[in-house]
Amino acid sequence: MSGATDEEALTESARKLFAGPVAFLKSAPELRFLPDPTLPEIAFAGRSNVGKSSLLNRLTGRNGLARTSNTPGRTQELNIFDVGDPPVLRLVDMPGYGFAKAPKDLARRWRYLVNDYLRGRAVLKRTLLLIDGRHGVKEVDREVMKMLDDAAVGYRIVLTKADKVKPTELAEIERSTAEEARRHPAAFPEILATSSETGAGMEMLRSAVLEAAQL
Ligand code: GDP
């Protein structure tokens, strides 16, 4: 019996993987604190308050795994999570960007850390760039898209908080975001719309992570 398509098989593997252990490994304020590059890494980036912690928690089915960091002065670190036991891939939670009141040197430190990571980490397979589904791509997101393009790190745009917008508005945001993505060489053309509130899009997101890790 089989008959399962590759896509169904991927969905099922992804479901199983994320139903299993996911554990915080460490925080890395600089590249030299990262674990040995033995596993594929998938990074998550987004403006602060975009819903990144909520998404990581919902994705992994673990409340409190990723904590919100809504304080602009906070240390800028990459938070690393092992997925699977033994681990088969790592999730990397990048510090949020775009604080309105962030001091200049914080923005500069963010840029150094993220650029170093994007350019110097061979095991980084893909970045998921979170964009607020209510507003679409903002100027500050464009700057990060440019960084990803320049570092030649492939990325997928994930719209967050899809439950907060009417379906017609969401469709319009998806359309304009896809149009924007087409102008960026490292961006994937398909946009994933998600809600950490309802769980919408999570199955696709899990599959996208597993697929990106090329397991
Ligand atoms: P982060 O700063 O990117 O980690 O953002 P958080 O995960 O802390 O979310 C910021 C705010 O948005 C919080 O008040 C969350 O409850 C809310 N939020 C996050 N995701 C969703 C979502 O999918 N739907 C709704 N309605 N609210 C969300």
Side-chain angles (χ1 to χ4, degrees), residues 47-54 68 70 161 163-164 195-197:
R47 217 148 48 87
S48 51
N49 220 37
V50 72
K52 186 155 55 60
S53 316
S54 307
T68 350
N70 283 334
K161 310 187 188 183
D163 60 286
K164 290 255 206 179
S195 164
S196 303
E197 195 72 25

PDB file of all heavy atoms in Angstrom, residues 47-54 68 70 161 163-164 195-197, ligand 1:
ATOM      1  N   ARG A  47      11.371  41.472  12.566  1.00  0.00           N
ATOM      2  CA  ARG A  47      11.291  42.675  13.363  1.00  0.00           C
ATOM      3  C   ARG A  47      10.819  42.307  14.769  1.00  0.00           C
ATOM      4  O   ARG A  47      10.009  41.384  14.926  1.00  0.00           O
ATOM      5  CB  ARG A  47      10.235  43.591  12.720  1.00  0.00           C
ATOM      6  CG  ARG A  47      10.542  45.040  12.759  1.00  0.00           C
ATOM      7  CD  ARG A  47       9.962  45.717  11.520  1.00  0.00           C
ATOM      8  NE  ARG A  47       8.592  45.368  11.227  1.00  0.00           N
ATOM      9  CZ  ARG A  47       7.531  45.997  11.751  1.00  0.00           C
ATOM     10  NH1 ARG A  47       7.679  46.972  12.629  1.00  0.00           N
ATOM     11  NH2 ARG A  47       6.324  45.650  11.383  1.00  0.00           N
ATOM     12  N   SER A  48      11.288  43.026  15.779  1.00  0.00           N
ATOM     13  CA  SER A  48      10.841  42.720  17.127  1.00  0.00           C
ATOM     14  C   SER A  48       9.332  42.934  17.181  1.00  0.00           C
ATOM     15  O   SER A  48       8.799  43.837  16.539  1.00  0.00           O
ATOM     16  CB  SER A  48      11.553  43.600  18.143  1.00  0.00           C
ATOM     17  OG  SER A  48      11.451  44.923  17.755  1.00  0.00           O
ATOM     18  N   ASN A  49       8.674  42.038  17.877  1.00  0.00           N
ATOM     19  CA  ASN A  49       7.222  42.058  18.009  1.00  0.00           C
ATOM     20  C   ASN A  49       6.470  41.477  16.798  1.00  0.00           C
ATOM     21  O   ASN A  49       5.246  41.522  16.744  1.00  0.00           O
ATOM     22  CB  ASN A  49       6.721  43.487  18.286  1.00  0.00           C
ATOM     23  CG  ASN A  49       5.606  43.478  19.298  1.00  0.00           C
ATOM     24  OD1 ASN A  49       5.644  42.684  20.242  1.00  0.00           O
ATOM     25  ND2 ASN A  49       4.605  44.307  19.090  1.00  0.00           N
ATOM     26  N   VAL A  50       7.212  40.919  15.848  1.00  0.00           N
ATOM     27  CA  VAL A  50       6.569  40.345  14.664  1.00  0.00           C
ATOM     28  C   VAL A  50       5.822  39.052  15.003  1.00  0.00           C
ATOM     29  O   VAL A  50       4.944  38.614  14.258  1.00  0.00           O
ATOM     30  CB  VAL A  50       7.610  40.080  13.543  1.00  0.00           C
ATOM     31  CG1 VAL A  50       8.523  38.909  13.874  1.00  0.00           C
ATOM     32  CG2 VAL A  50       6.954  39.865  12.191  1.00  0.00           C
ATOM     33  N   GLY A  51       6.195  38.463  16.171  1.00  0.00           N
ATOM     34  CA  GLY A  51       5.570  37.205  16.580  1.00  0.00           C
ATOM     35  C   GLY A  51       6.515  36.017  16.445  1.00  0.00           C
ATOM     36  O   GLY A  51       6.080  34.872  16.333  1.00  0.00           O
ATOM     37  N   LYS A  52       7.825  36.290  16.516  1.00  0.00           N
ATOM     38  CA  LYS A  52       8.826  35.233  16.304  1.00  0.00           C
ATOM     39  C   LYS A  52       8.830  34.214  17.446  1.00  0.00           C
ATOM     40  O   LYS A  52       8.866  33.012  17.201  1.00  0.00           O
ATOM     41  CB  LYS A  52      10.211  35.862  16.112  1.00  0.00           C
ATOM     42  CG  LYS A  52      11.304  34.863  15.737  1.00  0.00           C
ATOM     43  CD  LYS A  52      12.452  35.514  14.994  1.00  0.00           C
ATOM     44  CE  LYS A  52      13.075  36.694  15.722  1.00  0.00           C
ATOM     45  NZ  LYS A  52      13.633  36.374  17.028  1.00  0.00           N
ATOM     46  N   SER A  53       8.796  34.695  18.688  1.00  0.00           N
ATOM     47  CA  SER A  53       8.793  33.758  19.821  1.00  0.00           C
ATOM     48  C   SER A  53       7.530  32.903  19.788  1.00  0.00           C
ATOM     49  O   SER A  53       7.593  31.684  19.964  1.00  0.00           O
ATOM     50  CB  SER A  53       8.840  34.501  21.158  1.00  0.00           C
ATOM     51  OG  SER A  53       9.774  35.526  21.111  1.00  0.00           O
ATOM     52  N   SER A  54       6.392  33.561  19.545  1.00  0.00           N
ATOM     53  CA  SER A  54       5.125  32.815  19.495  1.00  0.00           C
ATOM     54  C   SER A  54       5.169  31.762  18.405  1.00  0.00           C
ATOM     55  O   SER A  54       4.706  30.632  18.597  1.00  0.00           O
ATOM     56  CB  SER A  54       3.961  33.768  19.217  1.00  0.00           C
ATOM     57  OG  SER A  54       3.962  34.830  20.134  1.00  0.00           O
ATOM     58  N   THR A  68      10.098  35.982  24.725  1.00  0.00           N
ATOM     59  CA  THR A  68      10.014  37.302  24.104  1.00  0.00           C
ATOM     60  C   THR A  68      11.116  38.198  24.644  1.00  0.00           C
ATOM     61  O   THR A  68      11.460  38.121  25.805  1.00  0.00           O
ATOM     62  CB  THR A  68       8.677  37.984  24.446  1.00  0.00           C
ATOM     63  OG1 THR A  68       7.852  37.027  25.052  1.00  0.00           O
ATOM     64  CG2 THR A  68       8.037  38.549  23.233  1.00  0.00           C
ATOM     65  N   ASN A  70      11.340  41.858  24.432  1.00  0.00           N
ATOM     66  CA  ASN A  70      10.835  43.154  23.986  1.00  0.00           C
ATOM     67  C   ASN A  70      11.589  44.352  24.554  1.00  0.00           C
ATOM     68  O   ASN A  70      11.126  45.466  24.495  1.00  0.00           O
ATOM     69  CB  ASN A  70       9.342  43.278  24.295  1.00  0.00           C
ATOM     70  CG  ASN A  70       8.523  42.491  23.287  1.00  0.00           C
ATOM     71  OD1 ASN A  70       8.970  42.277  22.161  1.00  0.00           O
ATOM     72  ND2 ASN A  70       7.357  42.042  23.680  1.00  0.00           N
ATOM     73  N   LYS A 161       0.651  36.363  12.254  1.00  0.00           N
ATOM     74  CA  LYS A 161      -0.596  36.967  12.765  1.00  0.00           C
ATOM     75  C   LYS A 161      -1.702  37.001  11.711  1.00  0.00           C
ATOM     76  O   LYS A 161      -2.488  37.964  11.648  1.00  0.00           O
ATOM     77  CB  LYS A 161      -0.329  38.377  13.305  1.00  0.00           C
ATOM     78  CG  LYS A 161       0.854  38.419  14.291  1.00  0.00           C
ATOM     79  CD  LYS A 161       1.006  39.764  14.956  1.00  0.00           C
ATOM     80  CE  LYS A 161       2.292  39.816  15.767  1.00  0.00           C
ATOM     81  NZ  LYS A 161       2.476  41.066  16.499  1.00  0.00           N
ATOM     82  N   ASP A 163      -4.360  35.556  11.594  1.00  0.00           N
ATOM     83  CA  ASP A 163      -5.712  35.597  12.188  1.00  0.00           C
ATOM     84  C   ASP A 163      -6.204  37.020  12.425  1.00  0.00           C
ATOM     85  O   ASP A 163      -7.384  37.255  12.645  1.00  0.00           O
ATOM     86  CB  ASP A 163      -5.723  34.823  13.511  1.00  0.00           C
ATOM     87  CG  ASP A 163      -4.753  35.411  14.526  1.00  0.00           C
ATOM     88  OD1 ASP A 163      -3.524  35.228  14.353  1.00  0.00           O
ATOM     89  OD2 ASP A 163      -5.196  36.068  15.476  1.00  0.00           O
ATOM     90  N   LYS A 164      -5.276  37.976  12.392  1.00  0.00           N
ATOM     91  CA  LYS A 164      -5.628  39.368  12.691  1.00  0.00           C
ATOM     92  C   LYS A 164      -6.164  40.138  11.489  1.00  0.00           C
ATOM     93  O   LYS A 164      -6.572  41.280  11.627  1.00  0.00           O
ATOM     94  CB  LYS A 164      -4.392  40.113  13.215  1.00  0.00           C
ATOM     95  CG  LYS A 164      -3.941  39.680  14.595  1.00  0.00           C
ATOM     96  CD  LYS A 164      -4.340  40.730  15.605  1.00  0.00           C
ATOM     97  CE  LYS A 164      -3.403  40.679  16.811  1.00  0.00           C
ATOM     98  NZ  LYS A 164      -3.780  41.713  17.774  1.00  0.00           N
ATOM     99  N   SER A 195      -0.462  31.621  11.534  1.00  0.00           N
ATOM    100  CA  SER A 195      -0.967  32.234  12.761  1.00  0.00           C
ATOM    101  C   SER A 195      -0.568  31.344  13.935  1.00  0.00           C
ATOM    102  O   SER A 195      -0.886  30.157  13.957  1.00  0.00           O
ATOM    103  CB  SER A 195      -2.490  32.356  12.725  1.00  0.00           C
ATOM    104  OG  SER A 195      -2.972  32.588  14.032  1.00  0.00           O
ATOM    105  N   SER A 196       0.120  31.929  14.873  1.00  0.00           N
ATOM    106  CA  SER A 196       0.489  31.173  16.070  1.00  0.00           C
ATOM    107  C   SER A 196      -0.716  31.042  16.987  1.00  0.00           C
ATOM    108  O   SER A 196      -0.740  30.207  17.886  1.00  0.00           O
ATOM    109  CB  SER A 196       1.625  31.879  16.819  1.00  0.00           C
ATOM    110  OG  SER A 196       2.715  32.032  15.959  1.00  0.00           O
ATOM    111  N   GLU A 197      -1.696  31.888  16.748  1.00  0.00           N
ATOM    112  CA  GLU A 197      -2.920  31.869  17.554  1.00  0.00           C
ATOM    113  C   GLU A 197      -3.776  30.658  17.172  1.00  0.00           C
ATOM    114  O   GLU A 197      -4.205  29.902  18.028  1.00  0.00           O
ATOM    115  CB  GLU A 197      -3.686  33.175  17.281  1.00  0.00           C
ATOM    116  CG  GLU A 197      -4.768  33.491  18.255  1.00  0.00           C
ATOM    117  CD  GLU A 197      -4.265  33.918  19.629  1.00  0.00           C
ATOM    118  OE1 GLU A 197      -3.122  34.421  19.706  1.00  0.00           O
ATOM    119  OE2 GLU A 197      -5.000  33.718  20.608  1.00  0.00           O
TER     120      GLU A 197
HETATM  121  P1  GDP B   1       8.584  38.633  19.032  1.00  0.00           P
HETATM  122  O1  GDP B   1       9.028  39.911  19.656  1.00  0.00           O
HETATM  123  O2  GDP B   1       8.785  38.651  17.554  1.00  0.00           O
HETATM  124  O3  GDP B   1       9.161  37.414  19.668  1.00  0.00           O
HETATM  125  O4  GDP B   1       6.993  38.586  19.174  1.00  0.00           O
HETATM  126  P2  GDP B   1       6.056  37.777  20.186  1.00  0.00           P
HETATM  127  O5  GDP B   1       5.986  36.338  19.841  1.00  0.00           O
HETATM  128  O6  GDP B   1       6.451  38.113  21.585  1.00  0.00           O
HETATM  129  O7  GDP B   1       4.650  38.415  19.821  1.00  0.00           O
HETATM  130  C1  GDP B   1       4.405  39.809  19.918  1.00  0.00           C
HETATM  131  C2  GDP B   1       2.929  40.037  20.229  1.00  0.00           C
HETATM  132  O8  GDP B   1       2.145  39.567  19.155  1.00  0.00           O
HETATM  133  C3  GDP B   1       2.448  39.291  21.458  1.00  0.00           C
HETATM  134  O9  GDP B   1       1.524  40.099  22.124  1.00  0.00           O
HETATM  135  C4  GDP B   1       1.785  38.046  20.897  1.00  0.00           C
HETATM  136  O10 GDP B   1       0.767  37.543  21.727  1.00  0.00           O
HETATM  137  C5  GDP B   1       1.206  38.567  19.600  1.00  0.00           C
HETATM  138  N1  GDP B   1       1.153  37.502  18.580  1.00  0.00           N
HETATM  139  C6  GDP B   1       2.180  36.748  18.141  1.00  0.00           C
HETATM  140  N2  GDP B   1       1.763  35.888  17.192  1.00  0.00           N
HETATM  141  C7  GDP B   1       0.444  36.091  17.029  1.00  0.00           C
HETATM  142  C8  GDP B   1      -0.566  35.512  16.179  1.00  0.00           C
HETATM  143  O11 GDP B   1      -0.332  34.606  15.362  1.00  0.00           O
HETATM  144  N3  GDP B   1      -1.827  36.005  16.290  1.00  0.00           N
HETATM  145  C9  GDP B   1      -2.137  37.012  17.149  1.00  0.00           C
HETATM  146  N4  GDP B   1      -3.406  37.444  17.172  1.00  0.00           N
HETATM  147  N5  GDP B   1      -1.230  37.574  17.964  1.00  0.00           N
HETATM  148  C10 GDP B   1       0.044  37.127  17.911  1.00  0.00           C
END
